[in-house]
Amino acid sequence: AAAAAAARSRPNILVTGTPGTGKTTFSTALSEATNFRHINIGDLVKEKNLHDGWDDKFDCYIINEDLVCDELENMMEEGGNIVDYHGCDFFPERWFDRVVVLQTENSVLFDRLSRRGYTGSKLSNNIECEIFQVLLEEARESYPEDIVVALKNDTVDEMNANIATLSDWISSWSPMLS
Ligand code: ADP
Ligand code: MN
């Protein structure tokens, strides 16, 4: 449903996508270009203990979504945030003005995740996640379709083009138009 015009003076951007698609690299560069705050949810969960322990099967923390959302609420109200996470369905819809889904070609993603040390089912699950566009689907189900953008992010040139696109979008954003 259409929300009232955002009270924030700067927009919030969610950067999502399969692990390895370049969210953290992209968010760091976009943050440097714009002075927006980069919030890496994985790091925040670790630092502030916003989890319910370690998941041995999936080799990651069991994120406590309520604690994460409580932690972020004030910052999100202020605006000027780039939120970096491989999931997007548990954040309040009203927080975001743009949802960027980064996408990477399979063989490129395979190499990136192998270099990260992923093997076996951990590697193949992530490749499948990308093939089936799980994050794009999740973003489209969770946010209005006109704020969701899928961006190809195979090369550094593509990343730089994506940063330019988002920087331009930020410059022209106005709370009146949201
Ligand atoms: P994520 O945060 O989505 O898991 P990272 O930003 O950690 O992804 O990037 C995964 C790996 O891919 C890193 O080694 C990074 O240097 C590399 N990488 C990220 N974006 C690009 C890109 N656009 N072109 C080439 N390599 C990239
Ligand atoms: Mn990351």
Side-chain angles (χ1 to χ4, degrees):
R8 50 188 175 262
S9 58
R10 298 190 299 170
N12 292 319
I13 298 164
L14 175 61
V15 178
T16 191
T18 305
T21 52
K23 298 179 297 297
T24 299
T25 308
F26 172 80
S27 299
T28 303
L30 185 63
S31 164
E32 282 164 5
T34 59
N35 281 317
F36 275 35
R37 183 195 286 120
H38 174 197
I39 303 173
N40 182 324
I41 298 294
D43 291 349
L44 185 80
V45 163
K46 246 184 288 178
E47 273 163 33
K48 305 232 164 174
N49 270 303
L50 311 175
H51 59 77
D52 301 315
W54 184 258
D55 186 328
D56 281 324
K57 181 159 181 273
F58 290 105
D59 204 23
C60 62
Y61 284 108
I62 302 159
I63 178 173
N64 184 313
E65 298 173 350
D66 292 335
L67 290 181
V68 169
C69 290
D70 287 349
E71 180 71 31
L72 293 178
E73 182 66 49
N74 290 340
M75 284 188 282
M76 298 307 291
E77 271 171 33
E78 271 172 36
N81 298 291
I82 302 163
V83 174
D84 162 3
Y85 193 58
H86 58 263
C88 63
D89 60 357
F90 64 90
F91 301 116
E93 186 183 332
R94 66 189 155 79
W95 276 0
F96 296 106
D97 304 287
R98 207 78 175 154
V99 177
V100 174
V101 183
L102 295 181
Q103 297 191 311
T104 301
E105 205 263 314
N106 298 324
S107 62
V108 176
L109 186 65
F110 187 94
D111 290 345
R112 286 185 194 168
L113 293 176
S114 299
R115 247 184 283 136
R116 193 181 266 184
Y118 286 21
T119 55
S121 64
K122 188 165 183 180
L123 179 57
S124 55
N125 286 345
N126 282 301
I127 298 293
E128 273 175 32
C129 175
E130 187 62 5
I131 291 172
F132 293 111
Q133 302 196 312
V134 172
L135 268 305
L136 181 59
E137 199 70 9
E138 185 175 319
R140 285 183 172 153
E141 278 167 13
S142 308
Y143 299 93
E145 80 179 319
D146 58 320
I147 77 162
V148 176
V149 284
L151 297 176
K152 211 160 118 38
N153 196 45
D154 291 350
T155 65
V156 171
D157 284 350
E158 284 175 352
M159 182 180 81
N160 289 334
N162 294 337
I163 290 163
T165 303
L166 263 290
S167 299
D168 288 350
W169 177 84
I170 286 171
S171 305
S172 62
W173 186 84
S174 152
M176 308 304 289
L177 299 172
S178 70

